[in-house]
């Protein structure tokens, strides 16, 4: 029997080809749950018992609730909306011999070979002329098999299976057409967006994999989908956030953008957007600066970004005593150099949450001679210094355009985050509690 929470996740994935649709679908989910959208350029009027969200740049989202009585700090979770892909350049059409390609630029650390020889399409947003000279945003998804990145035949590239260099400016340009037509690509984009081509002022468009998410394995125990890193964690955190019960703390669910390229953007974890949001919440509730800082001192963050499962073909890449497996529960991630922010305090607190939620926990640490990647927790805490645990769900083929994970693990994350967001953290005389 297919896991129903995993089925819900895969349905979300089908409708979220880029970060713009990810955030728009989260907005719809929050609207349906009675949340009110806030805008940074306006003064916020917050009420006890109110439910709110904002979406910086349309690619990140922060949702929070105000309890009837605030007695604690902030219980936060952070994930990210972006995934490695290819951005379509402004002058998109590129003539090559008798063909027309799309000119693209790599976004993030993609496993580029996985993008070859499969149907792809384009989605994102366009900026168009609106009424009274204003600029409007339109989401767009060319919902058809549109382009392909063809491999060079083995007869012409005898080193194809021996590890040859893939050049992003040559090898990964997708085939679009066999005849040139001036701005034919933008005409197609305009039709999909329901606007006139001449009204499009600019665009943020990306390639996406058309292969549908699926269950795999003898007993449907695995799921495969584009963007499991990190939309899976974003989805699980948001579902747990919406389902959580009220406590004395203010629950905050954050989905940042641009983690795959370093987070140093206005909507990324390195920006002041989280710090400013928390301060604005405290100010709107009539808190002083001292009271706000006291709230921060009693706050906690879960940094949720998927983890590397032990690979069945290459177990030697893992630390055999500290490696996770798919369908074995939530992964707590450790790193001595603090690329993951987990320490003994935060791990102990989160283990206690998972125990109450009745979900299994496992650990990840890199093999000591292999440097691993970092994530957004260590970046966000330079702006908001709170106790933080880095977690994830075990997956294979991270940064492929089609990744694999365990079908049971997403349910564990939703359960754990539901408990987490229902808690209040306390710090007293050097001791910690979550109640």
């Amino acid at each position: 029997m297919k896991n129903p929470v995993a089925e819900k996740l895969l349905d979300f994935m089908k409708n979220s080809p880029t970060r713009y649709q990810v955030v728009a679908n989260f907005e719809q989910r929050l609207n349906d749950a009675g949340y009110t959208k806030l805008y940074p350029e306006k003064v916020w009027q917050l009420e006890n018992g109110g439910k709110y969200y904002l979406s910086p740049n349309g690619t990140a989202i922060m949702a929070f609730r105000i309890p009837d009585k605030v007695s604690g700090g902030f219980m936060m979770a952070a994930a990210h909306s972006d995934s490695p892909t290819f951005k379509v350049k402004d002058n998109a059409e590129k003539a090559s011999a008798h063909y027309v390609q799309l000119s693209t630029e790599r976004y993030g650390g993609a496993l580029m070979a996985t993008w070859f020889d499969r149907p792809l399409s384009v989605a994102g947003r366009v900026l168009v002329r609106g009424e009274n000279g204003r600029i409007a945003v339109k989401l767009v998804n060319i919902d058809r098999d549109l382009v392909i990145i063809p491999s060079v035949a083995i007869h012409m590239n005898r080193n194809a299976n021996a590890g040859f260099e893939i050049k992003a400016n040559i090898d990964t340009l997708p085939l679009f057409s066999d005849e040139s037509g001036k701005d034919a690509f933008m005409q197609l984009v305009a039709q999909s967006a329901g606007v006139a081509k001449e009204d499009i002022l600019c665009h943020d468009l990306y390639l996406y994999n058309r292969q549908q998410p699926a269950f795999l394995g003898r007993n449907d125990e695995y799921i495969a989908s584009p963007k499991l890193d990190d939309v899976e964690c974003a989805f699980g955190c948001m579902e747990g956030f919406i389902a959580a019960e009220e406590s004395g703390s203010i629950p905050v669910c954050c989905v940042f953008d641009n983690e795959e390229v370093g987070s140093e953007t206005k909507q990324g974890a390195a920006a002041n957007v989280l710090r400013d949001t928390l301060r604005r919440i405290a100010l709107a509730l009539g808190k002083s600066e001292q009271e706000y800082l006291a709230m921060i001192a009693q706050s906690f963050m879960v940094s949720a970004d998927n983890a590397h499962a032990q690979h069945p073909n290459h177990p030697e890449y893992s630390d055999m005593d500290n490696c996770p497996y798919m369908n074995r529960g939530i992964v707590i991630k450790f790193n001595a150099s603090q690329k993951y922010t987990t320490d003994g305090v935060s791990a102990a607190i989160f283990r206690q949450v998972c125990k109450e939620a009745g979900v299994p926990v496992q650990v990840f640490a890199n093999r000591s001679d292999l440097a691993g990647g970092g994530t957004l927790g260590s970046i966000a805490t330079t702006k908001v210094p709170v106790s933080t645990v880095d977690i994830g769900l075990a997956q294979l083929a991270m940064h492929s355009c089609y990744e694999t994970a365990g079908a049971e693990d997403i349910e564990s994350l939703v359960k754990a985050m539901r408990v987490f967001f229902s808690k209040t953290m306390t710090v007293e005389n050097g001791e910690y509690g979550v109640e």
Side-chain angles (χ1 to χ4, degrees):
M1 181 179 176
K2 295 176 180 175
N3 183 286
V5 181
E7 285 188 296
K8 190 174 181 180
L9 167 67
L10 297 191
D11 285 340
F12 185 89
M13 293 292 199
K14 290 175 186 177
N15 297 312
S16 304
T18 72
R19 72 197 76 175
Y20 304 99
Q21 285 82 10
V22 168
V23 169
N25 288 330
F26 279 143
E27 286 199 24
Q28 186 59 56
R29 181 78 175 88
L30 291 164
N31 289 338
D32 292 343
Y35 285 71
T36 299
K37 186 170 184 177
L38 300 173
Y39 298 89
E41 68 273 15
K42 296 182 179 179
V43 175
W44 295 355
Q45 303 294 333
L46 307 182
E47 299 177 353
N48 292 93
K51 302 189 290 186
Y52 308 95
Y53 73 91
L54 61 153
S55 52
N57 196 37
T59 62
I61 195 162
M62 296 183 180
F64 61 93
R65 290 190 299 273
I66 308 298
D68 289 332
K69 182 179 180 181
V70 179
S71 59
F74 302 94
M75 297 297 279
M76 297 174 283
H80 64 90
S81 62
D82 62 322
S83 300
T85 180
F86 295 87
K87 189 179 192 299
V88 180
K89 291 185 177 179
D90 198 57
N91 296 314
E93 294 184 29
K94 178 181 177 65
S96 177
H98 293 284
Y99 305 108
V100 178
Q101 298 170 295
L102 296 184
S103 184
T104 61
E105 181 179 3
R106 184 171 64 171
Y107 175 90
L111 278 171
M112 291 195 290
T114 66
W115 288 82
F116 286 73
D117 305 318
R118 62 176 73 229
L120 308 172
S121 194
V122 173
R125 69 180 177 185
V126 292
L127 289 300
V128 301
R129 290 186 181 90
E131 297 180 358
N132 301 320
R134 301 180 70 83
I135 298 172
V137 178
K138 294 276 189 181
L139 298 191
V140 60
N141 175 18
I142 304 177
D143 192 11
R144 50 168 282 205
D145 298 339
L146 180 67
V147 297
I148 196 166
I149 302 174
S151 295
V152 175
I154 189 71
H155 314 79
M156 301 173 183
N157 181 11
R158 296 292 181 179
N159 294 321
N161 294 324
F164 76 100
E165 181 183 3
I166 298 174
K167 297 181 179 179
N169 65 318
I170 297 173
D171 298 306
T172 60
L173 300 184
L175 178 64
F176 171 62
S177 176
D178 66 355
E179 59 183 52
S180 70
K182 186 170 177 57
D183 289 334
F185 172 70
M186 288 309 301
Q187 184 62 52
L188 191 58
V189 170
Q191 291 172 358
S192 297
V195 300
K197 181 175 72 67
E198 56 270 21
D199 285 337
I200 295 178
L201 300 172
C202 201
H203 60 76
D204 295 307
L205 299 173
Y206 295 83
L207 297 186
Y208 73 93
N209 177 15
R210 291 282 294 170
Q211 188 171 357
Q212 294 295 299
F215 282 87
L216 301 170
R218 178 185 175 189
N219 299 306
D220 292 321
E221 62 262 51
Y222 306 121
I223 54 175
S225 172
K227 305 180 296 296
L228 288 176
D229 172 27
D230 184 39
V231 178
E232 182 178 21
C233 280
F235 176 87
C237 289
M238 188 64 75
E239 287 295 301
F241 167 82
I242 292 172
E245 299 175 0
E246 184 178 309
S247 72
S249 289
I250 298 174
V252 184
C253 186
C254 309
V255 181
F256 292 107
D257 189 14
N258 303 128
E259 190 275 344
E260 299 294 359
V261 292
S263 295
E264 294 182 346
T265 63
K266 62 185 180 299
Q267 60 274 349
N272 293 330
V273 61
L274 175 59
R275 183 191 68 185
D276 291 349
T277 297
L278 301 182
R279 289 191 74 246
R280 291 186 72 170
I281 293 171
L283 290 170
L285 295 177
K287 303 292 185 181
S288 68
E289 185 71 10
Q290 283 273 22
E291 289 171 320
Y292 163 69
L293 293 175
M295 291 175 69
I296 291 296
Q298 296 191 79
S299 298
F300 192 90
M301 179 183 290
V302 174
S303 169
D305 199 355
N306 272 359
H308 298 288
Q310 186 191 68
H311 198 288
N313 297 338
H314 290 282
E316 71 275 11
Y317 290 140
S318 298
D319 181 322
M320 299 302 290
D321 298 312
N322 294 278
C323 63
Y325 303 91
M326 295 182 292
N327 291 316
R328 296 296 186 271
I330 297 173
V331 182
I332 299 178
K333 301 190 286 185
F334 294 87
N335 181 263
S337 298
Q338 286 291 284
K339 287 186 176 180
Y340 304 129
T341 59
T342 309
D343 60 16
V345 171
S346 62
I349 290 171
F350 193 72
R351 285 180 190 273
Q352 191 167 314
V353 168
C354 290
K355 182 178 181 181
E356 183 172 335
V359 301
V361 175
Q362 49 188 335
V363 299
F364 170 82
N366 291 304
R367 205 179 77 180
S368 298
D369 61 333
L370 292 178
T375 185
L376 47 82
S378 58
I379 297 171
T381 52
T382 64
K383 303 293 183 179
V384 181
V386 299
S387 185
T388 303
V389 62
D390 265 294
I391 69 161
L393 301 179
Q395 72 161 89
L396 297 171
M398 188 177 290
H399 288 200
S400 168
C401 73
Y402 202 69
E403 301 166 323
T404 302
E408 301 301 317
D409 291 331
I410 182 61
E411 184 173 9
S412 292
L413 180 60
V414 172
K415 288 179 177 179
M417 297 313 296
R418 180 177 182 175
V419 170
F420 171 78
F421 281 122
S422 302
K423 294 292 184 182
T424 295
M425 178 176 168
T426 58
V427 182
E428 188 173 354
N429 298 326
E431 295 185 348
Y432 305 86
V434 279
E435 302 168 356

